[in-house]
Amino acid sequence: DFEICAELKYDGTSISLTYEDGKLVRAVTRGDGEKGDDVTDNVKTIRTIPLVLHGNYPKSFEIRGEILMPWVVFEELNREKEAREEPLFANPRNAAPGTLKSKNSAVVAQRKLDAYLYYLLGEHIPFDGHYENLQAARSWGFKISGGMKKVTTLQDIYDFIDYWDVERKNLPVATDGIVLKVNSQRQQRA
């Protein structure tokens, strides 16, 4: 028997956040898959990423997610670029990484990037269940998708897909699919 955690796949730029003693100490992009860019100062300007945690969190851990540019910010940015007769961004996914790598943290703050976190890693994370770990992370101050759901049957999965195929158009940020994860990390390893 197993459970599946069904989640939305957010269409942004990947980020890895490291926390020690409840404080954000490092934020790194995926980069080329082996070496990413340290964007800690810029990430600290994103209001949905906590600088200091609250509650009962592990001493040291990593949390991964996506940095996104909300649709309304993207549309406003393109209106401004159009007025200055500059080339427009193709989509929010292209605009987010450029913003995140900006040399000016004030520009990053001004563009109101958002973040959804989706994976908790570390030696002393609280639960075997992926879903349960993300709920714990929510209680520490992280923005976790409200669309995530634990399911146990194929019909549950089909219902999740059918629901979000329509509802994703009403989200404030872009998505580009659905992710299904075996909930138990022990079972994932096996």
Side-chain angles (χ1 to χ4, degrees), residues 16-111:
S16 172
L17 307 172
T18 302
Y19 284 79
E20 293 176 9
D21 297 316
K23 294 185 175 101
L24 175 64
V25 294
R26 189 170 39 263
V28 180
T29 65
R30 181 182 299 149
D32 63 7
E34 291 189 24
K35 184 173 181 354
D37 297 311
D38 186 320
V39 291
T40 307
D41 290 339
N42 286 348
V43 163
K44 287 180 176 180
T45 71
I46 300 172
R47 292 180 181 201
T48 52
I49 293 181
L51 303 181
V52 178
L53 305 178
H54 53 269
N56 189 19
Y57 45 81
K59 181 172 176 49
S60 177
F61 67 91
E62 177 185 347
I63 190 164
R64 294 182 184 164
E66 294 285 311
I67 304 289
L68 305 121
M69 180 174 283
W71 286 112
V72 294
V73 175
F74 168 74
E75 290 160 2
E76 177 63 26
L77 185 59
N78 266 352
R79 278 193 294 276
E80 291 169 6
K81 288 173 92 41
E82 188 174 40
R84 292 189 306 264
E85 297 181 359
E86 296 174 0
L88 304 181
F89 285 116
N91 55 52
R93 188 188 194 290
N94 290 352
T99 298
L100 197 57
K101 292 178 187 177
S102 172
K103 302 286 187 219
N104 185 345
S105 292
V107 169
V108 180
Q110 190 177 41
R111 292 199 180 163

